[in-house]
């Protein structure tokens, strides 16, 4: 059984309180002085972001728009060719990842709530990004996987992407607001899934042969709604996922393991009451860390940039409910040893966290007037 860490947290205090982030706003953290600035604003609930080889950023808006962000913060017109999305509730155009061979292939991957018979389900697609001056479009859009069972519920799509060094693609799905689906091995809901870049099944997936009726794309099951997903320097996967009333979790998804939802949880059901059989049961993995009360964690990175060596290897997660960044200290074994909460209430709901090529952090705020906020080192 892995260690579950709980501890007191340090709250970061801003150097000066303002109504929101401003150019050159300075903050003191436990280990380093930082400065924040707005890269771009006026986005409609931005959800995912990644960087092209020329340092241009590509960002999704949940309503179904994909845009490019120049180094000067200029937003492009909407990229053409994005497939129709189920833009309802938590659904829409969600995460985006630039293929590791983009310089040769020009391809990106993205997740979205795909409409279909019965409602919608999480899907992942690949496309070639074609840029023509200031305009851009998607060509050769290929849906690599689509959740077979679609429902009208508007919540819990999961939907983060990790591109593994071995060339495979990992992505998360939520339980779609129907907990038992996370324990159904024939269902794609409530899972970490793994495919090849062409949508085929990796031969070393734990259920590659479909034994016992299990979906061959499954890597791990028993996840509620993992909206943060990252990989560390040793190739270990990390998720942050929403609990119900409390019980938000950090997990280290491993092949063929089950993380318990909704049979075990450190949270309570909405309105009170125990979830499942309690917080532990045979056959289910324990979280590496959990939050109670809930912070509603979203985007996640393992920091490996050069700008903040003080944070090397730490997990940094955004939070929607408490509107903060949670930096989780890790030791050499990967165990979480402490937490620092940064920028609470300063920027709004933080939907995603990204490490830019220069090592700065880029945050997305999930608002009608969504922003990209850069966190850099104070000179």
């Amino acid at each position: 059984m892995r260690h579950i860490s709980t501890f007191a947290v340090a709250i970061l205090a801003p150097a000066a309180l303002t109504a929101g982030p401003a150019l050159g706003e300075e903050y003191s953290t436990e280990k380093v002085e930082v400065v924040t600035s707005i890269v771009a604003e006026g986005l409609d609930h931005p959800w995912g972001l990644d960087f092209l080889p020329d340092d241009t950023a590509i960002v999704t808006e949940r309503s179904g728009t994909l845009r490019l962000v120049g180094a000067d913060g200029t937003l492009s017109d909407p990229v053409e060719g994005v497939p129709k999305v189920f833009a309802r509730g938590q659904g829409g155009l969600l995460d985006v990842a630039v293929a590791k061979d983009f310089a040769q292939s020009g391809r990106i991957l993205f997740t979205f709530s795909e409409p279909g018979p019965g409602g919608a389900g999480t899907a992942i697609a690949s496309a070639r990004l074609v840029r023509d001056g200031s305009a851009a479009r998607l060509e050769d859009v290929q849906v690599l996987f689509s959740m077979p069972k679609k429902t009208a519920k508007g919540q819990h799509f999961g939907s983060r992407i990790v591109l593994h060094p071995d060339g495979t693609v990992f992505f998360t799905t939520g339980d779609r607001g129907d907990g038992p689906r996370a324990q159904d091995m024939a269902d794609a809901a409530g899972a970490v899934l793994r495919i090849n870049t062409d949508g085929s099944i990796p031969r070393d997936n734990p259920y590659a042969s479909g034994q016992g009726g299990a979906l061959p794309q499954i890597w791990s099951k028993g996840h509620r709604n993992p909206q943060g997903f990252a990989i560390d320097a040793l190739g270990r996967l990390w998720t942050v996922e929403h609990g119900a009333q409390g019980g938000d979790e950090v997990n280290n998804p491993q092949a063929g393991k089950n993380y318990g939802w909704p049979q075990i949880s450190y949270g309570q059901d909405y309105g009170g009451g125990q979830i499942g059989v309690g917080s532990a049961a045979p056959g289910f993995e324990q979280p590496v860390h959990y939050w109670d009360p809930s912070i509603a964690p979203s985007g996640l990175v393992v920091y490996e940039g050069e700008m903040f060596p003080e944070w090397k290897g730490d997990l940094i997660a955004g939070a929607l409910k408490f509107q903060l960044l949670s930096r989780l200290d890790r030791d050499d074994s990967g165990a979480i040893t402490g937490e620092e909460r940064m920028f609470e209430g300063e920027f709004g709901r933080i939907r995603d966290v990204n490490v830019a090529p220069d090592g700065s952090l880029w945050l997305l705020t999930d608002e009608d007037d969504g922003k990209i906020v850069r966190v850099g080192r104070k000179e």
Side-chain angles (χ1 to χ4, degrees):
M1 181 179 292
R2 284 169 289 158
H3 175 65
I4 305 170
S5 52
T6 55
F7 32 71
V9 298
I11 306 297
L12 177 149
L17 294 174
T18 65
L23 187 65
E25 191 71 33
E26 297 177 4
Y27 295 82
S28 297
T29 78
E30 287 182 357
K31 296 182 176 181
V32 64
E33 301 290 313
V34 302
V35 60
T36 66
S37 58
I38 298 174
V39 175
E41 54 190 337
L43 291 159
D44 182 10
H45 295 275
W47 211 93
L49 181 146
D50 203 358
F51 293 91
L52 301 176
D54 66 356
D55 295 351
T56 298
I58 185 166
V59 62
T60 64
E61 295 174 288
R62 199 174 68 227
S63 53
T65 302
L66 187 68
R67 296 182 188 271
L68 302 180
V69 186
D72 60 356
T74 302
L75 287 173
S76 75
D77 290 334
V79 174
E80 297 180 358
V82 176
K84 184 179 180 181
V85 305
F86 177 90
R88 196 178 309 166
Q90 297 170 7
L93 185 58
L94 301 170
D95 206 13
V96 63
V98 175
K100 292 183 181 298
D101 67 347
F102 180 88
Q104 292 76 42
S105 69
R107 299 197 76 83
I108 65 169
L109 294 96
F110 57 94
T111 52
F112 62 109
S113 52
E114 184 183 42
T122 303
I124 184 168
S126 169
R128 188 160 57 91
L129 176 68
V130 178
R131 300 167 70 180
D132 183 9
S134 60
R137 64 185 182 276
L138 297 184
E139 293 185 350
D140 189 26
V141 176
Q142 301 175 16
V143 175
L144 305 177
F145 177 84
S146 178
M147 184 179 287
K149 181 180 178 180
K150 295 177 171 60
T151 66
K153 289 178 177 288
Q155 68 264 44
H156 298 185
F157 290 92
S159 224
R160 292 291 177 195
I161 303 169
V162 161
L163 304 182
H164 197 277
D166 68 8
T168 62
V169 179
F170 288 84
F171 59 104
T172 64
T173 64
D175 69 2
R176 297 293 285 111
D178 184 358
R181 292 184 65 181
Q183 291 299 322
D184 183 350
M185 295 301 294
D187 195 329
V192 172
L193 304 177
R194 180 179 183 239
I195 59 175
N196 292 315
T197 55
D198 63 358
S200 62
I201 310 300
R203 287 182 292 179
D204 58 346
N205 268 10
Y207 306 100
S209 63
Q211 56 266 45
L215 200 70
Q217 292 89 350
I218 289 173
W219 178 260
S220 60
K221 280 284 277 183
H223 302 279
R224 184 173 183 265
N225 191 24
Q227 289 193 342
F229 195 20
I231 187 169
D232 68 18
L234 297 179
R236 294 172 297 196
L237 299 172
W238 298 90
T239 59
V240 290
E241 44 196 282
H242 293 258
Q245 212 165 250
D248 296 341
E249 295 183 355
V250 178
N251 283 306
N252 168 215
Q254 298 178 35
K257 298 293 181 66
N258 191 312
Y259 292 82
W261 177 260
Q263 296 302 308
I264 63 171
S265 173
Y266 281 87
Q268 289 189 329
D269 208 351
Y270 294 111
Q274 179 175 288
I275 294 172
V277 298
S279 59
F284 298 125
E285 301 300 307
Q286 286 289 297
V288 178
H289 173 71
Y290 69 91
W291 289 275
D292 190 11
S294 169
I295 66 168
S298 190
L300 176 72
V301 296
V302 179
Y303 188 82
E304 297 290 351
E306 296 182 358
M307 185 171 289
F308 301 109
E310 300 88 349
W311 296 345
K312 184 174 178 61
D314 291 347
L315 302 178
I316 302 178
L320 300 166
K321 180 179 177 181
F322 288 169
Q323 302 181 3
L324 54 79
L325 279 188
S326 171
R327 183 182 63 81
L328 299 172
D329 275 309
R330 293 197 303 155
D331 62 20
D332 292 341
S333 73
I336 295 170
T337 59
E339 180 183 20
E340 178 183 19
R341 295 187 174 186
M342 305 185 287
F343 312 121
E344 186 164 359
E346 288 296 297
F347 306 141
R349 291 160 48 87
I350 297 177
R351 170 60 70 183
D352 199 15
V353 185
N354 302 271
V355 180
D358 67 358
S360 61
L361 291 179
W362 283 32
L363 317 177
L364 298 183
T365 67
D366 187 4
E367 311 287 350
D368 292 335
D369 178 17
K371 297 176 175 62
I372 303 174
V373 180
R374 180 183 184 272
V375 180
R377 193 180 191 94
K378 181 182 176 183
E379 299 294 334

